[in-house]
Amino acid sequence: MNRGIALELDSYRLAQHVGHIACLICEQGNTLDADVCRHCFAPMILAHQAQSQKVNPIIFAALGPSGVGKTVYLGMLLDMMSRRPHELQVSARGGFSVTLQQTTLAALARCEFPSKTPNEPDRWNWAHCQLHTPRNPLPIELVIPDIAGEALFQEVDHPRSYQVIHSLLSRSDGVLVLIDGTKLQSGSLDEDYFTMKLLSHLNEVGRDSKNDRGARPVALIFSKADQCESCFDDPTGYAERHAPGLWRVCQQRFRKHRFFAAGVAGACAQRATHGGGLQSIPLRVEPRGIVEPFEWLVENVI
Ligand SMILES: Nc1nc2c(ncn2[C@@H]2O[C@H](COP(=O)(O)OP(=O)(O)O)[C@@H](O)[C@H]2O)c(=O)[nH]1
Ligand SMILES: [Mg+2]
Ligand SMILES: [Zn+2]
């Protein structure tokens, strides 16, 4: 004889949550108790915090291939901006927004670079901050994630394979593109191709209307410039000489763009790893050119 048992259906459990909230990044609906968006895996805390302010935050994207220095740059940038006494300041909203700067600065203090950003979107660090500018009496909400380079290029090669990156690229109000200055210096054309590919893709997924394409401000930053000093003297001239393809794409397709150079380490050494490879270790922390691209971007967005 069979005995009946009661099984709660998934759909019935969902019905208990009558309220829905739209993900801040992909704008798809989620239940109120979701931690990460079920469509794109962006943290739902961003949507909850944004809802309390009534205005949609501005979104910046930091882009570039894996190993270009996105994590180190963003961690240092957020830390420097949060400690400034005057002018443009940044303050974190929620403890999770401090994690990126905390892990970066803790690693540098141990004479290490932070570990590689995982590929899974739910393991990325997102910073949700308030910008305090002398011009605006009210703070401006800003969201900036630290994404993985492999995931970014997978999305560029196979559009919509990473929904979160697709949404981020379409929704972002300003873009920081990092280019490895040391690789360009050594004559590698890979960086030039990578960035051209990225910018062409960015141009295609531009915000809302077609007229708007090319109006989005793009700050192009030569990273690790501490290892190639000539970047600092004239970043635009450096782009023209070492990355001519990229330079031309910027002239033709992005009305608002500017080249910058940035470096976090003052001096680096190489250490042999157990696997037989070499690992770069920062001997000194000497940030240069970190804040300027961000300030320029903010000026052009708000
Ligand atoms: N010399 C120097 N090396 C850097 C700098 N930033 C990053 N690097 C090197 O680049 C590696 C990758 O940096 P990371 O920020 O993790 O790159 P991401 O994959 O783009 O996030 C680090 O492990 C360092 O070896 C810098 O400012 N100066
Ligand atoms: Mg990273
Ligand atoms: Zn989403």
Side-chain angles (χ1 to χ4, degrees):
M1 190 178 80
N2 275 342
R3 284 178 130 208
I5 52 165
L7 261 184
E8 198 178 20
L9 292 174
D10 268 0
S11 52
Y12 181 72
R13 274 197 286 146
L14 284 176
Q16 292 174 342
H17 307 277
V18 278
H20 279 82
I21 182 165
C23 165
L24 186 75
I25 306 302
C26 74
E27 296 171 335
Q28 299 286 324
N30 282 271
T31 55
L32 287 175
D33 62 348
D35 286 336
V36 293
C37 168
R38 66 200 173 99
H39 300 275
C40 77
F41 301 104
M44 286 306 295
I45 179 101
L46 299 172
H48 288 282
Q49 287 186 169
Q51 208 178 37
S52 68
Q53 292 293 312
K54 306 273 189 299
V55 285
N56 256 351
I58 57 171
I59 299 178
F60 283 176
L63 310 175
S66 175
V68 73
K70 296 182 293 300
T71 303
V72 173
Y73 175 80
L74 285 179
M76 182 52 81
L77 172 72
L78 291 169
D79 198 63
M80 289 176 77
M81 298 301 299
S82 61
R83 290 171 198 279
R84 292 178 117 200
H86 322 286
E87 307 153 272
L88 181 63
Q89 290 174 345
V90 166
S91 58
R93 286 201 61 194
F96 72 96
S97 296
V98 185
T99 311
L100 178 57
Q101 71 192 71
Q102 183 195 2
T103 46
T104 305
L105 271 288
L108 291 172
R110 293 193 304 269
C111 280
E112 285 172 13
F113 282 111
S115 47
K116 196 170 149 45
T117 311
N119 250 353
E120 299 80 12
D122 50 344
R123 293 174 63 199
W124 297 344
N125 283 314
W126 294 70
H128 184 183
C129 332
Q130 285 189 325
L131 281 180
H132 306 264
T133 68
R135 270 195 287 158
N136 293 57
L138 289 176
I140 294 152
E141 303 280 310
L142 166 77
V143 168
I144 181 163
D146 178 29
I147 67 172
E150 280 99 352
L152 171 65
F153 278 90
Q154 192 164 328
E155 169 62 26
V156 171
D157 285 333
H158 308 283
R160 292 188 185 263
S161 53
Y162 272 88
Q163 181 60 43
V164 65
I165 297 184
H166 175 81
S167 306
L168 185 68
L169 296 184
S170 352
R171 298 229 321 104
S172 57
D173 301 276
V175 181
L176 298 151
V177 175
L178 276 83
I179 308 137
D180 194 322
T182 57
K183 287 195 181 157
L184 282 182
Q185 178 109 323
S186 68
S188 156
L189 280 179
D190 276 355
E191 295 292 303
D192 194 19
Y193 285 129
F194 261 148
T195 320
M196 274 163 62
K197 197 169 170 178
L198 179 62
L199 290 179
S200 305
H201 182 78
L202 195 62
N203 203 236
E204 294 305 317
V205 295
R207 277 185 78 93
D208 318 329
S209 73
K210 283 187 180 161
N211 303 337
D212 207 26
R213 282 185 189 165
R216 174 163 47 185
V218 179
L220 299 118
I221 309 166
F222 292 115
S223 62
K224 312 179 191 178
D226 47 283
Q227 307 273 301
C228 49
E229 282 288 320
S230 57
C231 284
F232 280 120
D233 304 333
D234 174 17
T236 311
Y238 191 84
E240 209 174 340
R241 282 194 305 279
H242 295 278
L246 157 67
W247 186 80
R248 198 157 308 116
V249 170
C250 290
Q251 302 296 320
Q252 291 168 347
R253 302 215 194 148
F254 293 92
R255 289 202 295 287
K256 288 187 200 160
H257 73 268
R258 186 178 288 185
F259 288 94
F260 296 90
V264 170
C268 286
Q270 301 285 325
R271 178 167 64 188
T273 60
H274 294 305
L278 283 176
Q279 181 191 25
S280 181
I281 53 167
L283 298 178
R284 268 202 323 273
V285 177
E286 208 176 282
R288 283 168 74 189
I290 306 290
V291 170
E292 290 80 353
F294 181 75
E295 279 182 332
W296 176 85
L297 209 54
V298 171
E299 240 168 64
N300 278 279
V301 167
I302 58 175

